[in-house]
Amino acid sequence: MAERHIPPPLRFLLAARRSELHGLESLAVTCELAVHLSALVHALQKERGYSNLTLCSAQGRLPQEGHEQTLAALVQDAVRVEAEVRRFLDGLAAAPQASDKARLLNCIAYALFRLDELPGLRRQVRDVSLPADEADARYTQIISSLLAVVFEAADSALDPAVTRTLVALLNFMQGKELSGQERAAGVIGLTKGYFTEPQKARMLGLAAHQARSFDVYAQYAQDDALQCWDRILQQGQPVERMRDMAQRTSSEQRVDGALAELWFDLYTARIDAMREVESLLAQALARQCEHRIAETRQELADRQLLLARYADHASGRAPSMVFSVQSRPVDTPPADGVGSVLERSILELMREQTLRMQRTDDALNSVRGALEERKRIDRAKRLLINRYGLTEQAAHERLQRAAMDGGLSLADVARQVIDQLGSD
Amino acid sequence: MAERHIPPPLRFLLAARRSELHGLESLAVTCELAVHLSALVHALQKERGYSNLTLCSAQGRLPQEGHEQTLAALVQDAVRVEAEVRRFLDGLAAAPQASDKARLLNCIAYALFRLDELPGLRRQVRDVSLPADEADARYTQIISSLLAVVFEAADSALDPAVTRTLVALLNFMQGKELSGQERAAGVIGLTKGYFTEPQKARMLGLAAHQARSFDVYAQYAQDDALQCWDRILQQGQPVERMRDMAQRTSSEQRVDGALAELWFDLYTARIDAMREVESLLAQALARQCEHRIAETRQELADRQLLLARYADHASGRAPSMVFSVQSRPVDTPPADGVGSVLERSILELMREQTLRMQRTDDALNSVRGALEERKRIDRAKRLLINRYGLTEQAAHERLQRAAMDGGLSLADVARQVIDQLGSD
């Protein structure tokens, strides 16, 4: 199949298809990365939970119950998963870098930087040399740097179906992470026996933000993952009841500190069950990438064959076999002479490819809309940081407080901030 | 400089920068393509103008005045420029294709397909075997396929400053092309001695659409190109007067057919002068690409050096020289121990890179907004084509008529169509 015999327009038609294929192959790698990261996030969430319990126990606020052994096993798990992620990333760093991957690579750099803090953090937890809430915040920062990589993966994906699943995965991971934070916040409050008003507000905020994430997830996920999530939701009453109870506590109305462990176990079972949804989404991603790559490869092969025959035809070797390899639009009966049919067929091929690309683009834009909310919140934070010299954490809290005070969503508050400060 | 000694976060920081550099290098090639295409469009516009005159003369509607010789020379010019474009494209087709170039490559395929029609069209013009307005329409179709490539180039560019100049170039080329169409429409009307009402409306539409294109151009162009355009505008009165005159003609109020040649010459001088603006924009593009590439290369080299020293430091070879290669944010005095300063410096480096990317992104989004209008019009046309089985030309005319009837811009009408039919 000598491609240099193919006329230039058709050569570029093939080059466009090949470029799409490259994009899909690189997307498959990005999806694999997202799946690896979801495993690491899960391991770190478990480790964070037990670190929290261990610190609370060691600081005498909960009975000692062998959390250390469990934690040691979980740390081992997390170290193993992290090693897998790092091996995968080594391969990625060695590969030549496409020009549209700069933001993803930058996010990976930041996540790796954060991951390097793990050994020190673990040492401090083992030595019980930092408060539970500080350990919690540092684990949370590491996890959020990993989620940021998944966000970039979804935002830079060029296939609508795969992007849908990545958006579903990202939102599910976000919801699950907020669940982890709610678990920690609950343990801290219940250990003390009651929640202060700001703690209650934080619990409510976490629950609302979770619900929002899972709603977006449900909008973009496939059947099997949705059914799995429905089963988890149906078993959610105990957690709901304890949430309500937490809201009714006060320094006058305390509950038994031992409820902290019940809450922790209930919530841990729930979060562990969520991991199955992530596995289903990971399978869907692999399936979709594989399918799209196989499809595009086949089309490219068909087209190369078609165009090679066209070249043969043009050089007078095989006059009438040109269109026998493809069925659909090019298969028009030769009515007004081969030349003109040929020309119309090629035009048809180009139109078809252009239309497909435009449809892809429209679909991509509409799926990516789901990522706009987070981008808007990030942008508002950046504006607050620049204008008032806040830290990231303080900027986030200011947005959250404004949302709670005004009965608005974070995204709405972010829009107001951008409208006010957006000229920066 | 052994990069494998550099810790993973910093390796990915470098990989991100390298990915940006690749993007800029590929953008420089795309800009060169846009500049080549602007030369070809200019040559074809001139050829179209004289083909028009030649056909009108040969069909006895204008005095014979040796237009054939001029046309033959112009065809030679266009053939030469086309050969240059094709040589450039051969190089492009041979290069490995980045995954984000599919739409650009597809557009090139379509433009090359259209360019293949030139020899046949020229033969028909030479044989005077097609009407002037049909020849005109066929040249216009070829030119518009070339403009579509420049549009994709602007839309896929990843640098805000370069995108600004590409948007300026694209809009200028669009305005210039509408000028060419107005020149042709004027010749046809004046040859007959008057304009029908639809012809007058078309002339007004072309003038308005031109003004809009040049406004967007003026919004995005640099000083030298703007001054050049101002000089052309100042010499615009004769064309303005003839436009007004054309609007006052009717089958009762005819003008001398010889005015067609005056109109043609005046307008041709104007279009030729516009070519200088395009050259200035081309120079700006080359300068900007070169500058951004040099800057990014230098930063990458600085950073590689910095990080290599970091690696040396980490391995205990050169304890305190780490930050001497870069001045700005990393140059903090070592207050609380080298390790912690180092960590903060790296974090600073990452923040800086992230912020820069976010600013780039915001800027890109705002420049690309200028391309949304055309995308919207294209989308509306596609909807009309799908819904009513119109040809592209018919869809365009329907939009234009609706705009004229409603006193709206094309973009407004497009928005209405999308609102009505957009669910397809």
Side-chain angles (χ1 to χ4, degrees):
Chain A
M1 198 173 329
E3 195 162 309
R4 71 206 139 75
H5 291 135
I6 295 179
L10 304 179
R11 235 158 69 206
F12 274 89
L13 203 68
L14 287 180
R17 211 93 187 87
R18 212 173 287 126
S19 157
E20 287 183 274
L21 181 58
H22 285 182
L24 287 168
E25 283 165 347
S26 139
L27 178 56
V29 175
T30 305
C31 286
E32 256 190 278
L33 173 61
V35 168
H36 275 295
L37 292 179
S38 77
L40 180 54
V41 165
H42 184 71
L44 291 175
Q45 282 166 337
K46 271 188 106 80
E47 185 184 325
R48 176 180 56 189
Y50 278 89
S51 296
N52 203 2
L53 269 195
T54 306
L55 289 172
C56 286
S57 307
Q59 289 156 358
R61 292 196 268 151
L62 277 180
Q64 299 271 356
E65 266 190 46
H67 295 309
E68 287 89 347
Q69 288 91 313
T70 314
L71 179 58
L74 290 175
V75 167
Q76 268 196 333
D77 268 357
V79 166
R80 187 182 47 73
V81 178
E82 185 189 338
E84 277 169 30
V85 168
R86 285 182 181 272
R87 259 196 305 282
F88 187 83
L89 286 176
D90 274 343
L92 203 65
Q97 294 312 333
S99 56
D100 51 351
K101 291 275 177 280
R103 283 189 305 158
L104 182 68
L105 293 166
N106 200 48
C107 268
I108 294 173
Y110 182 73
L112 282 167
F113 179 79
R114 284 287 167 220
L115 280 178
D116 282 343
E117 296 175 1
L118 272 175
L121 176 56
R122 283 171 181 149
R123 209 175 312 117
Q124 287 181 283
V125 171
R126 220 169 34 238
D127 300 348
V128 199
S129 65
L130 82 176
D133 54 354
E134 192 186 320
D136 190 66
R138 285 177 58 189
Y139 274 109
T140 300
Q141 195 172 34
I142 297 169
I143 290 170
S144 102
S145 75
L146 298 170
L147 281 172
V149 177
V150 180
F151 178 86
E152 274 309 326
D155 198 37
S156 64
L158 291 172
D159 180 80
V162 176
T163 303
R164 279 184 77 85
T165 311
L166 278 171
V167 167
L169 176 63
L170 172 68
N171 277 280
F172 194 82
M173 286 176 72
Q174 234 156 24
K176 179 160 163 277
E177 168 56 9
L178 293 161
S179 299
Q181 292 177 25
E182 194 190 5
R183 174 174 63 185
V187 166
I188 289 170
L190 290 170
T191 304
K192 246 192 352 183
Y194 72 98
F195 292 79
T196 61
E197 288 312 311
Q199 281 175 331
K200 285 185 201 169
R202 180 165 143 77
M203 293 284 285
L204 285 179
L206 285 168
H209 201 167
Q210 254 173 83
R212 170 91 193 107
S213 297
F214 289 128
D215 279 353
V216 179
Y217 153 76
Q219 213 179 316
Y220 290 99
Q222 279 99 343
D223 280 349
D224 55 350
L226 275 180
Q227 282 158 12
C228 182
W229 174 234
D230 273 345
R231 281 196 300 275
I232 297 172
L233 281 183
Q234 278 158 21
Q235 293 155 6
Q237 293 98 330
V239 167
E240 293 286 349
R241 280 208 197 94
M242 290 195 74
R243 275 178 179 167
D244 291 345
M245 189 194 66
Q247 290 298 321
R248 288 191 303 267
T249 62
S250 69
S251 58
E252 288 81 44
Q253 282 214 297
R254 300 188 181 221
V255 292
D256 186 342
L259 282 174
E261 302 236 21
L262 176 60
W263 164 265
F264 183 85
D265 291 341
L266 274 173
Y267 223 128
T268 300
R270 181 181 162 96
I271 291 177
D272 282 345
M274 288 184 192
R275 180 72 190 134
E276 201 192 321
V277 174
E278 288 182 354
S279 300
L280 290 171
L281 291 171
Q283 286 163 26
L285 276 180
R287 220 165 39 226
Q288 284 169 330
C289 286
E290 208 178 309
H291 170 75
R292 290 284 293 115
I293 288 174
E295 194 183 59
T296 306
R297 274 218 185 101
Q298 185 58 49
E299 278 174 29
L300 191 56
D302 281 357
R303 225 144 255 200
Q304 264 163 337
L305 191 55
L306 172 75
L307 298 179
R309 292 206 189 178
Y310 169 85
D312 279 354
H313 165 81
S315 62
R317 269 174 284 168
S320 70
M321 293 278 291
V322 180
F323 296 117
S324 56
V325 284
Q326 259 223 356
S327 48
R328 280 158 311 142
V330 286
D331 209 12
T332 331
D336 49 353
V338 174
S340 144
V341 170
L342 223 149
E343 183 174 292
R344 274 195 285 116
S345 306
I346 291 167
L347 201 55
E348 200 49 59
L349 214 67
M350 291 194 170
R351 285 234 173 89
E352 184 202 12
Q353 181 150 311
T354 305
L355 271 178
R356 195 178 41 67
M357 282 185 187
Q358 283 165 339
R359 271 195 299 264
T360 301
D361 230 44
D362 290 346
L364 257 182
N365 281 337
S366 96
V367 189
R368 281 201 189 136
L371 302 170
E372 285 310 311
E373 194 167 296
R374 174 167 168 149
K375 280 195 199 170
R376 216 190 302 147
I377 295 170
D378 281 350
R379 174 130 199 262
K381 271 196 244 174
R382 253 181 290 144
L383 290 170
L384 289 173
I385 291 170
N386 292 343
R387 176 65 66 100
Y388 302 109
L390 300 181
T391 63
E392 161 131 34
Q393 181 63 20
H396 188 79
E397 279 164 13
R398 185 176 293 200
L399 287 180
Q400 237 165 1
R401 216 170 29 248
M404 279 192 276
D405 292 350
L408 295 167
S409 73
L410 263 187
D412 288 334
V413 174
R415 196 196 297 272
Q416 293 176 348
V417 170
I418 293 171
D419 287 346
Q420 278 171 35
L421 308 180
S423 56
D424 297 30
Chain B
M1 199 172 330
E3 194 161 311
R4 71 207 139 73
H5 292 133
I6 296 179
L10 304 180
R11 235 159 69 207
F12 274 90
L13 204 69
L14 286 180
R17 211 93 186 87
R18 212 173 287 126
S19 157
E20 287 183 275
L21 181 58
H22 285 182
L24 286 169
E25 284 165 347
S26 139
L27 178 55
V29 174
T30 305
C31 286
E32 256 190 277
L33 172 62
V35 168
H36 275 296
L37 292 179
S38 78
L40 181 53
V41 165
H42 184 70
L44 291 175
Q45 283 166 337
K46 270 188 106 79
E47 185 184 324
R48 175 180 57 189
Y50 277 88
S51 296
N52 204 1
L53 269 195
T54 306
L55 289 173
C56 287
S57 307
Q59 288 156 358
R61 292 197 269 150
L62 277 179
Q64 300 270 356
E65 266 189 45
H67 295 309
E68 287 89 346
Q69 288 91 313
T70 315
L71 179 58
L74 290 176
V75 166
Q76 268 196 333
D77 269 356
V79 166
R80 187 183 46 74
V81 179
E82 185 189 339
E84 277 168 30
V85 168
R86 286 183 180 272
R87 258 195 306 281
F88 187 83
L89 286 175
D90 274 344
L92 203 66
Q97 294 313 332
S99 57
D100 52 350
K101 290 275 177 282
R103 282 189 305 159
L104 182 68
L105 293 166
N106 201 47
C107 268
I108 293 174
Y110 182 72
L112 282 167
F113 180 79
R114 284 288 166 220
L115 280 178
D116 282 343
E117 296 175 0
L118 271 175
L121 176 56
R122 283 170 181 150
R123 208 175 314 118
Q124 285 181 284
V125 170
R126 221 171 31 238
D127 299 348
V128 200
S129 64
L130 81 175
D133 54 353
E134 192 186 321
D136 190 67
R138 285 176 60 190
Y139 274 110
T140 300
Q141 195 172 35
I142 297 169
I143 290 169
S144 102
S145 75
L146 298 170
L147 282 172
V149 177
V150 180
F151 178 85
E152 274 309 327
D155 198 37
S156 64
L158 292 172
D159 181 81
V162 176
T163 303
R164 280 183 75 86
T165 310
L166 278 171
V167 166
L169 176 62
L170 172 69
N171 278 280
F172 195 82
M173 286 176 74
Q174 233 156 24
K176 179 160 163 274
E177 168 57 8
L178 292 162
S179 300
Q181 292 177 24
E182 194 190 5
R183 175 174 63 185
V187 166
I188 288 170
L190 289 170
T191 304
K192 245 191 353 183
Y194 73 99
F195 292 79
T196 61
E197 288 312 310
Q199 282 174 330
K200 284 184 202 170
R202 179 164 144 74
M203 294 284 286
L204 285 179
L206 285 168
H209 199 168
Q210 253 172 84
R212 171 91 194 107
S213 297
F214 289 128
D215 279 353
V216 179
Y217 153 77
Q219 213 179 317
Y220 290 98
Q222 279 99 343
D223 281 348
D224 53 352
L226 276 180
Q227 283 159 10
C228 183
W229 173 233
D230 275 345
R231 282 195 298 275
I232 296 171
L233 280 183
Q234 279 159 20
Q235 292 155 6
Q237 294 98 330
V239 167
E240 294 286 349
R241 280 207 198 96
M242 290 194 75
R243 276 179 178 167
D244 291 346
M245 190 192 65
Q247 291 298 321
R248 288 191 303 266
T249 62
S250 68
S251 58
E252 287 81 44
Q253 282 215 297
R254 301 188 179 219
V255 293
D256 186 342
L259 283 175
E261 302 236 19
L262 176 60
W263 165 265
F264 184 85
D265 290 341
L266 276 173
Y267 223 128
T268 300
R270 181 181 163 96
I271 291 177
D272 282 345
M274 289 184 191
R275 180 73 190 134
E276 201 192 322
V277 174
E278 288 182 355
S279 300
L280 290 171
L281 291 171
Q283 285 163 26
L285 276 179
R287 221 167 36 227
Q288 284 169 331
C289 286
E290 208 178 310
H291 171 74
R292 290 285 292 116
I293 288 174
E295 193 182 58
T296 305
R297 275 219 184 99
Q298 185 57 49
E299 278 173 29
L300 191 57
D302 281 356
R303 227 145 253 201
Q304 264 163 337
L305 191 54
L306 172 75
L307 298 179
R309 293 204 187 179
Y310 169 85
D312 278 355
H313 166 80
S315 62
R317 268 174 285 168
S320 71
M321 292 278 291
V322 181
F323 297 118
S324 57
V325 283
Q326 258 223 356
S327 49
R328 281 158 310 139
V330 286
D331 208 13
T332 331
D336 49 354
V338 175
S340 144
V341 171
L342 224 149
E343 183 175 290
R344 273 194 285 117
S345 305
I346 291 167
L347 200 56
E348 200 48 60
L349 214 67
M350 290 193 170
R351 285 233 173 90
E352 185 201 12
Q353 181 151 310
T354 305
L355 271 177
R356 195 179 41 69
M357 281 185 187
Q358 283 164 338
R359 272 196 299 264
T360 301
D361 231 43
D362 291 346
L364 257 182
N365 282 337
S366 96
V367 190
R368 282 202 189 135
L371 301 169
E372 285 309 312
E373 193 167 295
R374 173 168 169 150
K375 280 194 198 171
R376 216 190 302 147
I377 295 171
D378 281 349
R379 174 130 199 261
K381 271 196 245 174
R382 253 181 291 144
L383 290 169
L384 289 173
I385 290 169
N386 291 344
R387 176 64 67 98
Y388 302 109
L390 301 180
T391 63
E392 161 130 32
Q393 181 63 19
H396 188 80
E397 279 164 12
R398 185 178 293 200
L399 286 180
Q400 238 166 1
R401 214 167 33 244
M404 278 193 274
D405 292 350
L408 295 168
S409 74
L410 263 186
D412 288 333
V413 173
R415 196 196 296 271
Q416 291 177 350
V417 170
I418 293 170
D419 287 347
Q420 278 171 34
L421 308 180
S423 56
D424 298 30

